[in-house]
mmCIF file of all heavy atoms in Angstrom:
data_model
loop_
_atom_site.group_PDB
_atom_site.id
_atom_site.type_symbol
_atom_site.label_atom_id
_atom_site.label_comp_id
_atom_site.label_asym_id
_atom_site.label_seq_id
_atom_site.Cartn_x
_atom_site.Cartn_y
_atom_site.Cartn_z
ATOM 1 N N ASN A 1 -5.900 -18.087 5.309
ATOM 2 C CA ASN A 1 -4.496 -17.746 5.057
ATOM 3 C C ASN A 1 -3.678 -18.982 4.724
ATOM 4 O O ASN A 1 -2.753 -18.938 3.906
ATOM 5 C CB ASN A 1 -3.883 -17.068 6.289
ATOM 6 C CG ASN A 1 -4.203 -15.594 6.355
ATOM 7 O OD1 ASN A 1 -5.097 -15.125 5.664
ATOM 8 N ND2 ASN A 1 -3.500 -14.877 7.198
ATOM 9 N N ASP A 2 -4.005 -20.089 5.363
ATOM 10 C CA ASP A 2 -3.270 -21.335 5.155
ATOM 11 C C ASP A 2 -3.404 -21.809 3.711
ATOM 12 O O ASP A 2 -2.405 -22.166 3.061
ATOM 13 C CB ASP A 2 -3.793 -22.397 6.120
ATOM 14 C CG ASP A 2 -2.931 -23.650 6.161
ATOM 15 O OD1 ASP A 2 -1.768 -23.588 5.747
ATOM 16 O OD2 ASP A 2 -3.438 -24.690 6.618
ATOM 17 N N VAL A 3 -4.614 -21.823 3.181
ATOM 18 C CA VAL A 3 -4.787 -22.308 1.808
ATOM 19 C C VAL A 3 -4.239 -21.302 0.795
ATOM 20 O O VAL A 3 -3.778 -21.690 -0.290
ATOM 21 C CB VAL A 3 -6.265 -22.667 1.516
ATOM 22 C CG1 VAL A 3 -6.664 -23.916 2.274
ATOM 23 C CG2 VAL A 3 -7.218 -21.529 1.829
ATOM 24 N N LEU A 4 -4.265 -20.018 1.137
ATOM 25 C CA LEU A 4 -3.618 -19.028 0.272
ATOM 26 C C LEU A 4 -2.123 -19.312 0.178
ATOM 27 O O LEU A 4 -1.526 -19.257 -0.903
ATOM 28 C CB LEU A 4 -3.842 -17.615 0.822
ATOM 29 C CG LEU A 4 -5.257 -17.041 0.733
ATOM 30 C CD1 LEU A 4 -5.370 -15.768 1.574
ATOM 31 C CD2 LEU A 4 -5.624 -16.734 -0.719
ATOM 32 N N GLU A 5 -1.530 -19.653 1.304
ATOM 33 C CA GLU A 5 -0.101 -19.960 1.328
ATOM 34 C C GLU A 5 0.209 -21.228 0.545
ATOM 35 O O GLU A 5 1.239 -21.314 -0.141
ATOM 36 C CB GLU A 5 0.395 -20.097 2.763
ATOM 37 C CG GLU A 5 1.888 -20.367 2.852
ATOM 38 C CD GLU A 5 2.383 -20.502 4.279
ATOM 39 O OE1 GLU A 5 1.569 -20.381 5.210
ATOM 40 O OE2 GLU A 5 3.595 -20.743 4.453
ATOM 41 N N LEU A 6 -0.677 -22.224 0.630
ATOM 42 C CA LEU A 6 -0.453 -23.456 -0.122
ATOM 43 C C LEU A 6 -0.377 -23.166 -1.621
ATOM 44 O O LEU A 6 0.495 -23.685 -2.333
ATOM 45 C CB LEU A 6 -1.574 -24.459 0.156
ATOM 46 C CG LEU A 6 -1.668 -25.015 1.580
ATOM 47 C CD1 LEU A 6 -2.867 -25.949 1.696
ATOM 48 C CD2 LEU A 6 -0.386 -25.728 1.979
ATOM 49 N N ALA A 7 -1.284 -22.336 -2.108
ATOM 50 C CA ALA A 7 -1.275 -21.987 -3.529
ATOM 51 C C ALA A 7 0.019 -21.277 -3.904
ATOM 52 O O ALA A 7 0.632 -21.554 -4.949
ATOM 53 C CB ALA A 7 -2.486 -21.112 -3.858
ATOM 54 N N ALA A 8 0.466 -20.361 -3.042
ATOM 55 C CA ALA A 8 1.702 -19.625 -3.325
ATOM 56 C C ALA A 8 2.910 -20.547 -3.342
ATOM 57 O O ALA A 8 3.786 -20.435 -4.204
ATOM 58 C CB ALA A 8 1.887 -18.517 -2.291
ATOM 59 N N ARG A 9 2.965 -21.473 -2.401
ATOM 60 C CA ARG A 9 4.107 -22.389 -2.328
ATOM 61 C C ARG A 9 4.186 -23.306 -3.544
ATOM 62 O O ARG A 9 5.277 -23.687 -3.978
ATOM 63 C CB ARG A 9 4.024 -23.225 -1.053
ATOM 64 C CG ARG A 9 4.342 -22.453 0.225
ATOM 65 C CD ARG A 9 4.064 -23.306 1.448
ATOM 66 N NE ARG A 9 4.840 -24.557 1.414
ATOM 67 C CZ ARG A 9 4.544 -25.628 2.141
ATOM 68 N NH1 ARG A 9 3.484 -25.621 2.944
ATOM 69 N NH2 ARG A 9 5.285 -26.714 2.056
ATOM 70 N N ILE A 10 3.040 -23.658 -4.115
ATOM 71 C CA ILE A 10 3.035 -24.549 -5.275
ATOM 72 C C ILE A 10 3.455 -23.821 -6.540
ATOM 73 O O ILE A 10 4.259 -24.331 -7.336
ATOM 74 C CB ILE A 10 1.633 -25.176 -5.464
ATOM 75 C CG1 ILE A 10 1.331 -26.133 -4.306
ATOM 76 C CG2 ILE A 10 1.544 -25.913 -6.796
ATOM 77 C CD1 ILE A 10 -0.120 -26.589 -4.281
ATOM 78 N N PHE A 11 2.939 -22.614 -6.738
ATOM 79 C CA PHE A 11 3.079 -21.979 -8.048
ATOM 80 C C PHE A 11 4.097 -20.849 -8.111
ATOM 81 O O PHE A 11 4.475 -20.426 -9.206
ATOM 82 C CB PHE A 11 1.711 -21.466 -8.511
ATOM 83 C CG PHE A 11 0.762 -22.569 -8.864
ATOM 84 C CD1 PHE A 11 -0.182 -23.003 -7.942
ATOM 85 C CD2 PHE A 11 0.832 -23.205 -10.082
ATOM 86 C CE1 PHE A 11 -1.053 -24.042 -8.257
ATOM 87 C CE2 PHE A 11 -0.023 -24.241 -10.402
ATOM 88 C CZ PHE A 11 -0.965 -24.664 -9.485
ATOM 89 N N LEU A 12 4.536 -20.344 -6.962
ATOM 90 C CA LEU A 12 5.497 -19.245 -6.987
ATOM 91 C C LEU A 12 6.883 -19.740 -6.602
ATOM 92 O O LEU A 12 7.034 -20.675 -5.822
ATOM 93 C CB LEU A 12 5.064 -18.134 -6.026
ATOM 94 C CG LEU A 12 3.782 -17.390 -6.373
ATOM 95 C CD1 LEU A 12 3.468 -16.353 -5.312
ATOM 96 C CD2 LEU A 12 3.897 -16.722 -7.747
ATOM 97 N N ARG A 13 7.891 -19.069 -7.141
ATOM 98 C CA ARG A 13 9.279 -19.389 -6.856
ATOM 99 C C ARG A 13 10.119 -18.185 -7.282
ATOM 100 O O ARG A 13 9.608 -17.276 -7.958
ATOM 101 C CB ARG A 13 9.730 -20.640 -7.617
ATOM 102 C CG ARG A 13 9.609 -20.522 -9.137
ATOM 103 C CD ARG A 13 9.863 -21.831 -9.842
ATOM 104 N NE ARG A 13 8.919 -22.850 -9.441
ATOM 105 C CZ ARG A 13 7.699 -22.989 -9.976
ATOM 106 N NH1 ARG A 13 7.276 -22.138 -10.920
ATOM 107 N NH2 ARG A 13 6.894 -23.946 -9.573
ATOM 108 N N PRO A 14 11.396 -18.137 -6.916
ATOM 109 C CA PRO A 14 12.237 -17.031 -7.387
ATOM 110 C C PRO A 14 12.200 -16.907 -8.913
ATOM 111 O O PRO A 14 12.312 -17.907 -9.622
ATOM 112 C CB PRO A 14 13.632 -17.424 -6.884
ATOM 113 C CG PRO A 14 13.364 -18.231 -5.649
ATOM 114 C CD PRO A 14 12.120 -19.020 -5.966
ATOM 115 N N GLY A 15 11.996 -15.704 -9.371
ATOM 116 C CA GLY A 15 11.892 -15.449 -10.801
ATOM 117 C C GLY A 15 10.465 -15.348 -11.293
ATOM 118 O O GLY A 15 10.204 -14.772 -12.355
ATOM 119 N N ALA A 16 9.515 -15.913 -10.544
ATOM 120 C CA ALA A 16 8.093 -15.816 -10.906
ATOM 121 C C ALA A 16 7.514 -14.518 -10.349
ATOM 122 O O ALA A 16 8.086 -13.881 -9.468
ATOM 123 C CB ALA A 16 7.323 -17.012 -10.351
ATOM 124 N N THR A 17 6.349 -14.130 -10.873
ATOM 125 C CA THR A 17 5.681 -12.931 -10.377
ATOM 126 C C THR A 17 4.250 -13.250 -9.951
ATOM 127 O O THR A 17 3.605 -14.152 -10.494
ATOM 128 C CB THR A 17 5.634 -11.811 -11.437
ATOM 129 O OG1 THR A 17 4.828 -12.233 -12.545
ATOM 130 C CG2 THR A 17 7.027 -11.452 -11.924
ATOM 131 N N ALA A 18 3.802 -12.504 -8.959
ATOM 132 C CA ALA A 18 2.413 -12.556 -8.502
ATOM 133 C C ALA A 18 1.827 -11.161 -8.649
ATOM 134 O O ALA A 18 2.499 -10.151 -8.370
ATOM 135 C CB ALA A 18 2.338 -12.999 -7.047
ATOM 136 N N ILE A 19 0.581 -11.106 -9.079
ATOM 137 C CA ILE A 19 -0.089 -9.832 -9.302
ATOM 138 C C ILE A 19 -1.193 -9.652 -8.274
ATOM 139 O O ILE A 19 -1.942 -10.586 -7.976
ATOM 140 C CB ILE A 19 -0.684 -9.771 -10.727
ATOM 141 C CG1 ILE A 19 0.426 -9.782 -11.775
ATOM 142 C CG2 ILE A 19 -1.574 -8.545 -10.915
ATOM 143 C CD1 ILE A 19 -0.074 -9.892 -13.208
ATOM 144 N N TYR A 20 -1.292 -8.456 -7.724
ATOM 145 C CA TYR A 20 -2.370 -8.111 -6.803
ATOM 146 C C TYR A 20 -2.605 -6.614 -6.906
ATOM 147 O O TYR A 20 -1.791 -5.857 -7.437
ATOM 148 C CB TYR A 20 -2.036 -8.516 -5.364
ATOM 149 C CG TYR A 20 -0.586 -8.344 -4.990
ATOM 150 C CD1 TYR A 20 -0.062 -7.089 -4.677
ATOM 151 C CD2 TYR A 20 0.276 -9.446 -4.980
ATOM 152 C CE1 TYR A 20 1.271 -6.936 -4.352
ATOM 153 C CE2 TYR A 20 1.607 -9.294 -4.663
ATOM 154 C CZ TYR A 20 2.104 -8.044 -4.342
ATOM 155 O OH TYR A 20 3.434 -7.892 -4.042
ATOM 156 N N SER A 21 -3.720 -6.185 -6.378
ATOM 157 C CA SER A 21 -4.107 -4.789 -6.484
ATOM 158 C C SER A 21 -3.509 -3.948 -5.367
ATOM 159 O O SER A 21 -3.267 -4.435 -4.250
ATOM 160 C CB SER A 21 -5.638 -4.669 -6.437
ATOM 161 O OG SER A 21 -6.038 -3.301 -6.452
ATOM 162 N N GLN A 22 -3.285 -2.695 -5.670
ATOM 163 C CA GLN A 22 -3.001 -1.721 -4.623
ATOM 164 C C GLN A 22 -4.156 -1.729 -3.618
ATOM 165 O O GLN A 22 -5.317 -1.876 -3.995
ATOM 166 C CB GLN A 22 -2.863 -0.338 -5.254
ATOM 167 C CG GLN A 22 -2.544 0.789 -4.292
ATOM 168 C CD GLN A 22 -2.587 2.141 -4.992
ATOM 169 O OE1 GLN A 22 -3.233 2.290 -6.038
ATOM 170 N NE2 GLN A 22 -1.917 3.123 -4.426
ATOM 171 N N TYR A 23 -3.837 -1.605 -2.355
ATOM 172 C CA TYR A 23 -4.809 -1.619 -1.242
ATOM 173 C C TYR A 23 -5.461 -2.987 -1.034
ATOM 174 O O TYR A 23 -6.474 -3.088 -0.352
ATOM 175 C CB TYR A 23 -5.924 -0.581 -1.434
ATOM 176 C CG TYR A 23 -5.460 0.794 -1.816
ATOM 177 C CD1 TYR A 23 -6.064 1.481 -2.860
ATOM 178 C CD2 TYR A 23 -4.420 1.418 -1.132
ATOM 179 C CE1 TYR A 23 -5.645 2.756 -3.208
ATOM 180 C CE2 TYR A 23 -3.993 2.687 -1.488
ATOM 181 C CZ TYR A 23 -4.619 3.352 -2.524
ATOM 182 O OH TYR A 23 -4.207 4.610 -2.876
ATOM 183 N N ALA A 24 -4.909 -4.042 -1.605
ATOM 184 C CA ALA A 24 -5.478 -5.378 -1.384
ATOM 185 C C ALA A 24 -4.920 -5.956 -0.091
ATOM 186 O O ALA A 24 -4.035 -5.395 0.556
ATOM 187 C CB ALA A 24 -5.188 -6.292 -2.563
ATOM 188 N N PHE A 25 -5.427 -7.116 0.290
ATOM 189 C CA PHE A 25 -5.072 -7.781 1.532
ATOM 190 C C PHE A 25 -3.551 -7.896 1.675
ATOM 191 O O PHE A 25 -2.868 -8.370 0.769
ATOM 192 C CB PHE A 25 -5.719 -9.164 1.552
ATOM 193 C CG PHE A 25 -5.648 -9.891 2.855
ATOM 194 C CD1 PHE A 25 -5.574 -9.232 4.071
ATOM 195 C CD2 PHE A 25 -5.665 -11.281 2.868
ATOM 196 C CE1 PHE A 25 -5.516 -9.920 5.268
ATOM 197 C CE2 PHE A 25 -5.618 -11.989 4.051
ATOM 198 C CZ PHE A 25 -5.533 -11.300 5.259
ATOM 199 N N ALA A 26 -3.016 -7.474 2.820
ATOM 200 C CA ALA A 26 -1.567 -7.392 3.022
ATOM 201 C C ALA A 26 -0.868 -8.733 2.957
ATOM 202 O O ALA A 26 0.359 -8.797 2.765
ATOM 203 C CB ALA A 26 -1.274 -6.724 4.365
ATOM 204 N N ILE A 27 -1.608 -9.818 3.099
ATOM 205 C CA ILE A 27 -0.993 -11.145 3.068
ATOM 206 C C ILE A 27 -0.436 -11.482 1.685
ATOM 207 O O ILE A 27 0.579 -12.190 1.563
ATOM 208 C CB ILE A 27 -2.022 -12.216 3.498
ATOM 209 C CG1 ILE A 27 -2.297 -12.094 4.999
ATOM 210 C CG2 ILE A 27 -1.541 -13.625 3.161
ATOM 211 C CD1 ILE A 27 -1.091 -12.365 5.893
ATOM 212 N N TYR A 28 -1.050 -10.986 0.611
ATOM 213 C CA TYR A 28 -0.637 -11.378 -0.740
ATOM 214 C C TYR A 28 0.836 -11.048 -1.015
ATOM 215 O O TYR A 28 1.588 -11.928 -1.462
ATOM 216 C CB TYR A 28 -1.533 -10.743 -1.800
ATOM 217 C CG TYR A 28 -3.007 -11.004 -1.613
ATOM 218 C CD1 TYR A 28 -3.955 -10.091 -2.064
ATOM 219 C CD2 TYR A 28 -3.479 -12.155 -0.975
ATOM 220 C CE1 TYR A 28 -5.319 -10.323 -1.898
ATOM 221 C CE2 TYR A 28 -4.832 -12.387 -0.800
ATOM 222 C CZ TYR A 28 -5.753 -11.458 -1.258
ATOM 223 O OH TYR A 28 -7.090 -11.672 -1.086
ATOM 224 N N PRO A 29 1.276 -9.814 -0.800
ATOM 225 C CA PRO A 29 2.705 -9.547 -1.036
ATOM 226 C C PRO A 29 3.614 -10.335 -0.101
ATOM 227 O O PRO A 29 4.727 -10.720 -0.487
ATOM 228 C CB PRO A 29 2.834 -8.037 -0.804
ATOM 229 C CG PRO A 29 1.596 -7.618 -0.101
ATOM 230 C CD PRO A 29 0.533 -8.573 -0.500
ATOM 231 N N LEU A 30 3.169 -10.610 1.124
ATOM 232 C CA LEU A 30 3.978 -11.406 2.048
ATOM 233 C C LEU A 30 4.162 -12.821 1.520
ATOM 234 O O LEU A 30 5.252 -13.406 1.621
ATOM 235 C CB LEU A 30 3.325 -11.441 3.430
ATOM 236 C CG LEU A 30 3.353 -10.147 4.239
ATOM 237 C CD1 LEU A 30 2.638 -10.347 5.570
ATOM 238 C CD2 LEU A 30 4.772 -9.674 4.464
ATOM 239 N N LEU A 31 3.097 -13.402 0.957
ATOM 240 C CA LEU A 31 3.170 -14.751 0.413
ATOM 241 C C LEU A 31 4.163 -14.815 -0.744
ATOM 242 O O LEU A 31 4.946 -15.777 -0.854
ATOM 243 C CB LEU A 31 1.798 -15.215 -0.065
ATOM 244 C CG LEU A 31 0.722 -15.410 1.007
ATOM 245 C CD1 LEU A 31 -0.609 -15.779 0.359
ATOM 246 C CD2 LEU A 31 1.136 -16.483 2.004
ATOM 247 N N ALA A 32 4.128 -13.819 -1.601
ATOM 248 C CA ALA A 32 5.052 -13.796 -2.731
ATOM 249 C C ALA A 32 6.493 -13.632 -2.245
ATOM 250 O O ALA A 32 7.405 -14.351 -2.690
ATOM 251 C CB ALA A 32 4.679 -12.667 -3.688
ATOM 252 N N GLN A 33 6.701 -12.716 -1.333
ATOM 253 C CA GLN A 33 8.047 -12.451 -0.849
ATOM 254 C C GLN A 33 8.630 -13.645 -0.110
ATOM 255 O O GLN A 33 9.832 -13.930 -0.193
ATOM 256 C CB GLN A 33 8.031 -11.225 0.068
ATOM 257 C CG GLN A 33 9.405 -10.726 0.464
ATOM 258 C CD GLN A 33 9.337 -9.419 1.234
ATOM 259 O OE1 GLN A 33 8.272 -8.855 1.433
ATOM 260 N NE2 GLN A 33 10.489 -8.942 1.675
ATOM 261 N N ALA A 34 7.787 -14.385 0.610
ATOM 262 C CA ALA A 34 8.263 -15.505 1.416
ATOM 263 C C ALA A 34 8.859 -16.629 0.586
ATOM 264 O O ALA A 34 9.650 -17.426 1.092
ATOM 265 C CB ALA A 34 7.124 -16.049 2.275
ATOM 266 N N VAL A 35 8.469 -16.717 -0.701
ATOM 267 C CA VAL A 35 9.028 -17.755 -1.570
ATOM 268 C C VAL A 35 9.978 -17.171 -2.622
ATOM 269 O O VAL A 35 10.381 -17.856 -3.557
ATOM 270 C CB VAL A 35 7.896 -18.565 -2.262
ATOM 271 C CG1 VAL A 35 7.115 -19.359 -1.239
ATOM 272 C CG2 VAL A 35 6.966 -17.662 -3.061
ATOM 273 N N GLY A 36 10.331 -15.901 -2.460
ATOM 274 C CA GLY A 36 11.299 -15.284 -3.350
ATOM 275 C C GLY A 36 10.745 -14.804 -4.668
ATOM 276 O O GLY A 36 11.508 -14.441 -5.569
ATOM 277 N N ALA A 37 9.413 -14.806 -4.815
ATOM 278 C CA ALA A 37 8.806 -14.318 -6.051
ATOM 279 C C ALA A 37 8.713 -12.787 -6.010
ATOM 280 O O ALA A 37 8.839 -12.166 -4.957
ATOM 281 C CB ALA A 37 7.427 -14.924 -6.242
ATOM 282 N N ARG A 38 8.462 -12.202 -7.154
ATOM 283 C CA ARG A 38 8.341 -10.745 -7.236
ATOM 284 C C ARG A 38 6.863 -10.370 -7.309
ATOM 285 O O ARG A 38 6.113 -10.929 -8.097
ATOM 286 C CB ARG A 38 9.077 -10.211 -8.472
ATOM 287 C CG ARG A 38 9.040 -8.685 -8.605
ATOM 288 C CD ARG A 38 9.994 -8.206 -9.677
ATOM 289 N NE ARG A 38 9.617 -8.678 -11.000
ATOM 290 C CZ ARG A 38 8.814 -7.999 -11.835
ATOM 291 N NH1 ARG A 38 8.290 -6.837 -11.471
ATOM 292 N NH2 ARG A 38 8.543 -8.486 -13.026
ATOM 293 N N GLY A 39 6.456 -9.461 -6.458
ATOM 294 C CA GLY A 39 5.083 -8.993 -6.468
ATOM 295 C C GLY A 39 4.905 -7.806 -7.391
ATOM 296 O O GLY A 39 5.771 -6.925 -7.454
ATOM 297 N N ILE A 40 3.805 -7.796 -8.125
ATOM 298 C CA ILE A 40 3.461 -6.663 -8.992
ATOM 299 C C ILE A 40 2.174 -6.047 -8.459
ATOM 300 O O ILE A 40 1.117 -6.682 -8.455
ATOM 301 C CB ILE A 40 3.260 -7.107 -10.455
ATOM 302 C CG1 ILE A 40 4.566 -7.678 -11.012
ATOM 303 C CG2 ILE A 40 2.765 -5.941 -11.309
ATOM 304 C CD1 ILE A 40 4.437 -8.215 -12.428
ATOM 305 N N THR A 41 2.274 -4.824 -7.979
ATOM 306 C CA THR A 41 1.115 -4.109 -7.450
ATOM 307 C C THR A 41 0.496 -3.265 -8.552
ATOM 308 O O THR A 41 1.155 -2.373 -9.099
ATOM 309 C CB THR A 41 1.513 -3.207 -6.272
ATOM 310 O OG1 THR A 41 2.148 -3.980 -5.258
ATOM 311 C CG2 THR A 41 0.288 -2.526 -5.687
#
């Protein structure tokens, strides 16, 4: 989880989007939301 968060903190920011699958690991949308990015399921 720590290294997943590091990647999110480097590349995501408000206005950016992260893509993940429906039913995927719940941490992914949390990582995007925590830095103000928009998640696309």
